[in-house]
Amino acid sequence: MTVDAFAKRHGFDQWSEPKRGEPALFIWRFALGGQELSAHYAVRIDSELRPDARASASLWSPEGKDDVVVRVDVIETPSVPAARVELLRVLADFQSPQISRVDGGPGDVAFGPGGYRAVAFARANLVVVVRNAGAEVEPVETPARELDQLLREGPAAERSSVRPTIRRAAAEVADREVRLHVDAEDPLGRHLWFRFSAMSGQFLEQDDSIVFRPDSDGKQAIEVAAINENLGVAREQVEFTI
């Protein structure tokens, strides 16, 4: 089935864009560190930098179940609408022909075959695919929901005592568009990924920085979170007026 045919069959026009007025979320420079799935250990994590996206492929296994392997693919796109288009492409290439929308999550929108043998979902500007990759097949709902919760809420403050430091978080306002300036460091020099959230509006990556477009004028606030490989998190609020 072609991408266009798949789009028509599954009503892509109904979920291609986020609804106006909903909470805004954006994940930037995302990378798995091996601590994200509490009941699984990371067997392998590979990262890939594409011309238009960042991507990673990882394998996870539960303790004591060597025959069970879960594969997690994450694709980071420059905007929420771009993630919806990428999800459509992923679904069109899915091996199972019996794909339907999964009501109730995970993600903002999710699809998969019955029984959670696999699931593909978009959360903000990320596309996540979770599926079985081992000899024994188990439902992947639990790891998919756990990863989605991390993206949706960020890690708990007590997850790690070794936290990044946000040295700068500022907003440069020009007309009705805001460019965010963020500088953070990890005490051990590890990679950081960032989570931006607001009551409403749209985030996008532009020229290797984050741009925010609010839905309305007035006072605005964006929470900036810097997260390290052990899920230590530092948060700061950026406030400005449009």
Side-chain angles (χ1 to χ4, degrees), residues 135-153:
E136 185 176 338
V137 176
E138 286 192 355
V140 298
E141 180 177 8
T142 297
R145 289 192 181 277
E146 184 174 10
L147 181 54
D148 182 47
Q149 182 179 1
L150 174 66
L151 299 173
R152 185 179 71 248
E153 301 176 4

Side-chain angles (χ1 to χ4, degrees), residues 214-225:
D215 284 343
S216 59
D217 294 342
K219 292 184 178 180
Q220 310 284 332
I222 296 174
E223 182 187 83
V224 179

Side-chain angles (χ1 to χ4, degrees), residues 151-184:
L151 299 173
R152 185 179 71 248
E153 301 176 4
E158 65 274 11
R159 187 69 182 258
S160 175
S161 60
V162 183
R163 303 182 183 119
T165 298
I166 297 177
R167 297 186 294 193
R168 184 190 182 203
E172 179 187 346
V173 180
D175 295 326
R176 299 196 70 258
E177 186 170 277
V178 179
R179 189 170 296 271
L180 297 173
H181 299 280
V182 178
D183 182 21

Side-chain angles (χ1 to χ4, degrees), residues 24-26 152 195-199 203 212 221-225:
L25 175 66
F26 196 86
R152 185 179 71 248
R195 181 183 177 277
F196 302 90
S197 58
M199 292 295 294
F203 292 99
F212 177 68
I222 296 174
E223 182 187 83
V224 179

